[in-house]
Amino acid sequence: MLKFTAEHEWLKLDGDVATVGITAHAAEQLGDLVFVELPEVGAELARDGNAATVESVKAASDVYCPLDGEITEVNQAIVDDPSIVNSDPQGAGWFFKLKLKNASDADALLDEAAYKELIA
């Protein structure tokens, strides 16, 4: 199941683990990414806290943690080649995996229809 935030992150839920990245809309708005900084595995992050940083030819932006949890894995491939985020933002361009403190908190996030309405 996919969920979205108003800050343009997506989450793919698998039990109490969410794979998190930025939406295609966010990647388009940023332009070509040239740098990605990811959180450390084991880091405890709070909802809406700064989780990662991306820099494009246009600007630097923060990527926020969508829910409370612990980082269990990061995608080193996008650090090595940030363009993966531009070419496949909701696939190979994922940022990190987050073990959720409370998986039911995801129910309050946007579904795909609500997110599309937000960016329309």
Side-chain angles (χ1 to χ4, degrees):
M1 171 180 22
L2 277 182
K3 290 289 198 173
F4 298 86
T5 71
E7 291 75 33
H8 310 293
E9 290 91 24
W10 60 264
L11 296 82
K12 183 177 181 187
L13 299 167
D14 184 11
D16 66 350
V17 175
T19 302
V20 179
I22 62 171
T23 64
H25 175 77
E28 277 175 31
Q29 296 299 310
L30 287 166
D32 293 337
L33 293 185
V34 296
F35 175 79
V36 176
E37 181 180 73
L38 297 173
E40 297 288 321
V41 170
E44 294 275 341
L45 298 180
R47 180 182 186 147
D48 298 330
N50 188 9
T53 303
V54 292
E55 290 182 19
S56 70
V57 292
K58 294 181 185 177
S61 295
D62 292 328
V63 176
Y64 299 102
C65 191
L67 297 169
D68 295 341
E70 179 184 344
I71 301 297
T72 60
E73 189 178 338
V74 295
N75 187 357
Q76 184 61 40
I78 67 170
V79 173
D80 298 338
D81 182 4
S83 71
I84 295 169
V85 177
N86 294 108
S87 61
D88 192 10
Q90 290 177 222
W94 63 275
F95 279 54
F96 55 86
K97 295 192 178 184
L98 185 70
K99 182 169 178 30
L100 302 175
K101 280 194 176 166
N102 187 351
S104 66
D105 288 349
D107 297 342
L109 298 175
L110 302 171
D111 63 16
E112 192 162 3
Y115 181 72
K116 283 183 176 175
E117 193 173 303
L118 175 78
I119 62 173

